[in-house]
Amino acid sequence: MRPALLVLSLTLALGAVASPARAGDARPEIDAQAHALQPKVLAWRRDLHEHPELGNRETRTAALVAAHLRALGLKVETGIATTGVTAVLKGGRPGPRIAIRADMDALPVTERNALPFASKATATFRGETVGVMHACGHDAHTSILMGVAEALTAMKADLPGEILFIFQPAEEGPPDGERGGASEMLAEGIFRDFKPEAVFGLHVFSTLPAGTVGYRSGPAMAASDRFNIVIKGRQTHGSRPWGGVDPIVAAAEVVTSAQAIVSRRQNISKLPVVVSFGAIKGGIRYNIIPDQVELIGTIRTFDEDMRQAVFADLKNVAEHVAAAHGATAVAQVPDTVGNPVTVNDPALTTRAVASLERAVGRDRVLPIDLTMGAEDFAYYAKEVPGFFFFVGATPKGQNPVTAPSNHSPEFFLDESALDVGLRSMLQVVLDYQDGVR
Ligand code: NI
């Protein structure tokens, strides 16, 4: 049942919300739930958007989520990996155990959108006062999963199996010196107590138009690793370079030689690799050759063997090029534990894509390119088969290629993505629980 007048008045009440996705064989129970929940999900999203919190500081968000899950009568656990929240829904019929994950953290970005619910929040980040914004759309992920939990709870009697809802902190990484995110949720045992046979997640994405969903089977999002290389020379007067060891020339050659790791040594016909230097720090004055130069950067890969090979190659290049200049290199490659590759299980992807097509229509489900960005959903998908898909966020009439991207101060979510995300996730989950292929 969808009386036209109701749809019209709801649409007006919600502002610029596009008409919901339609598909002939979508489930009627999803349609009913999506209609009923749309105003709530929208209100949650706007509230979260106005009150963003940085990683491991999501106390208000977590309290809101926990209160909602408790009101649904679910068994809720809080304080996991600092501010994480989980809840289990037991269906009335036997069936599989699965998990669905949303991330709750915002970014140190000062919002530039002129929205009535734009963020004015600030926080301290690395000793500086910064603006805080849901510039990656995790406000949408949290509110969609709150809606999914409510819809599935309403269908509980007929629902096969059990569902673990994961509301995770610090997807963007914990503050310096802290632990957090997906790996910490797992380390604290969320899959020990409840071992799912599959895990699902979604992300709103500026590079897709609102109304569409994107997916990729197999490796989908890159492993992301940081490196730190210190080239040590010996300080001398700029007029007498022979009196010391110049780490600047050695560092310049390390940067140049490192370009050959991707272009000459990796089989990039298989999968792409990126090695980027993000900062070079060394020296203080025009006529002093400094003692040392520090190089930092990032490595992106899609295959564990390639990832390990790049680590070894970069270390090798740094140490040997430095040695060729009489300098030494202390190469920490990687310097911290990075995110692994996010791999979508191919069999699970085939099933889930069929569900997405039923939810939003075949022509709105798009296979997408590899994403060089990383996601800590990867950790869950390393434990059990995972499927992580993308929900278009860019409004009609705007080019998704040039629209302000996730992490931009102008990142803008077309709120119709909330409905698309809700319907898509519900369809994927209900089809899976019912064994629909
Ligand atoms: Ni994100």
Side-chain angles (χ1 to χ4, degrees):
M1 289 288 288
R2 44 194 312 156
L5 264 179
L6 176 68
V7 174
L8 179 66
S9 58
L10 195 66
T11 304
L12 289 174
L14 299 179
V17 176
S19 62
R22 301 294 299 271
D25 43 6
R27 290 164 175 262
E29 70 270 36
I30 293 180
D31 210 33
Q33 286 296 329
H35 270 295
L37 286 168
Q38 176 73 354
K40 281 192 182 183
V41 173
L42 187 76
W44 291 325
R45 186 264 159 168
R46 290 184 177 183
D47 177 63
L48 293 174
H49 192 84
E50 198 171 351
H51 302 99
E53 296 168 299
L54 293 176
N56 277 6
R57 302 290 181 271
E58 307 91 336
T59 48
R60 182 186 181 277
T61 308
L64 197 115
V65 167
H68 175 63
L69 298 171
R70 281 196 192 103
L72 295 176
L74 304 181
K75 186 173 168 279
V76 179
E77 301 219 19
T78 58
I80 307 165
T82 311
T83 58
V85 180
T86 62
V88 175
L89 170 63
K90 289 185 198 295
R93 294 196 285 142
R97 277 186 155 187
I98 63 156
I100 319 172
R101 173 273 212 167
D103 40 10
M104 303 190 289
D105 55 322
L107 286 159
V109 172
T110 303
E111 175 148 23
R112 278 196 225 137
N113 291 313
L115 293 166
F117 52 93
S119 167
K120 292 172 203 74
T122 59
T124 304
F125 182 74
R126 296 203 166 132
E128 283 180 50
T129 301
V130 292
V132 182
M133 175 190 174
H134 269 295
C136 201
H138 298 185
D139 50 342
H141 309 164
T142 299
S143 49
I144 288 170
L145 190 55
M146 287 167 74
V148 167
E150 182 161 343
L152 293 175
T153 302
M155 303 172 192
K156 185 174 155 181
D158 278 333
L159 181 74
E162 294 175 41
I163 295 168
L164 171 70
F165 302 103
I166 304 169
F167 291 87
Q168 181 209 300
E171 191 283 322
E172 306 282 358
D176 290 347
E178 293 181 31
R179 299 155 70 95
S183 56
E184 196 59 21
M185 296 281 289
L186 289 166
E188 293 193 13
I190 60 166
F191 280 6
R192 207 164 45 228
D193 306 333
F194 182 106
K195 183 83 176 180
E197 63 173 53
V199 60
F200 299 98
L202 61 76
H203 206 299
V204 293
F205 227 22
S206 71
T207 53
L208 288 168
T212 66
V213 296
Y215 73 95
R216 191 173 178 91
S217 188
M221 298 185 77
S224 165
D225 293 285
R226 297 175 4 180
F227 63 83
N228 176 296
I229 298 166
V230 178
I231 311 287
K232 296 187 173 184
R234 196 170 66 251
Q235 188 161 320
T236 182
H237 199 290
S239 67
R240 298 184 70 253
W242 54 85
V245 174
D246 188 345
I248 289 182
V249 172
E253 295 220 3
V254 167
V255 173
T256 305
S257 298
Q259 306 311 306
I261 294 170
V262 175
S263 70
R264 306 288 86 186
R265 297 180 62 83
Q266 288 295 316
N267 182 354
I268 52 170
S269 70
K270 188 175 158 197
L271 286 164
V273 173
V274 171
V275 176
S276 291
F277 289 85
I280 303 181
K281 291 182 198 160
I284 188 84
R285 198 171 197 278
Y286 77 99
N287 62 354
I288 300 173
I289 290 170
D291 250 340
Q292 66 174 48
V293 172
E294 185 186 19
L295 310 167
I296 59 173
T298 188
I299 298 166
R300 303 295 162 113
T301 51
F302 289 93
D303 171 272
E304 193 55 35
D305 288 345
M306 292 170 89
R307 185 184 186 202
Q308 295 302 326
V310 172
F311 292 167
D313 282 350
L314 183 55
K315 203 167 158 46
N316 191 31
V317 162
E319 288 172 356
H320 288 88
V321 170
H325 290 268
T328 53
V330 179
Q332 291 175 285
V333 191
D335 70 341
T336 53
V337 181
N339 279 334
V341 189
T342 303
V343 180
N344 282 325
D345 180 79
L348 188 61
T349 302
T350 304
R351 279 181 75 167
V353 167
S355 298
L356 292 177
E357 289 177 345
R358 283 191 278 273
V360 301
R362 187 174 276 252
D363 57 338
R364 297 193 189 188
V365 180
L366 312 170
I368 60 166
D369 291 341
L370 289 165
T371 301
M372 301 313 293
E375 233 308 327
D376 79 356
F377 181 85
Y379 284 103
Y380 306 112
K382 268 180 84 170
E383 298 286 320
V384 299
F387 179 66
F388 192 75
F389 63 96
F390 303 97
V391 177
T394 292
K396 249 198 190 117
Q398 241 187 304
N399 182 354
V401 177
T402 53
S405 71
N406 293 58
H407 290 208
S408 153
E410 283 150 24
F411 172 70
F412 181 84
L413 180 85
D414 185 309
E415 288 177 324
S416 67
L418 300 171
D419 187 58
V420 173
L422 180 68
R423 288 167 184 269
S424 299
M425 189 58 91
L426 283 171
Q427 184 90 36
V428 166
V429 166
L430 289 171
D431 284 356
Y432 189 88
Q433 296 307 92
D434 280 337
V436 176
R437 281 170 191 272

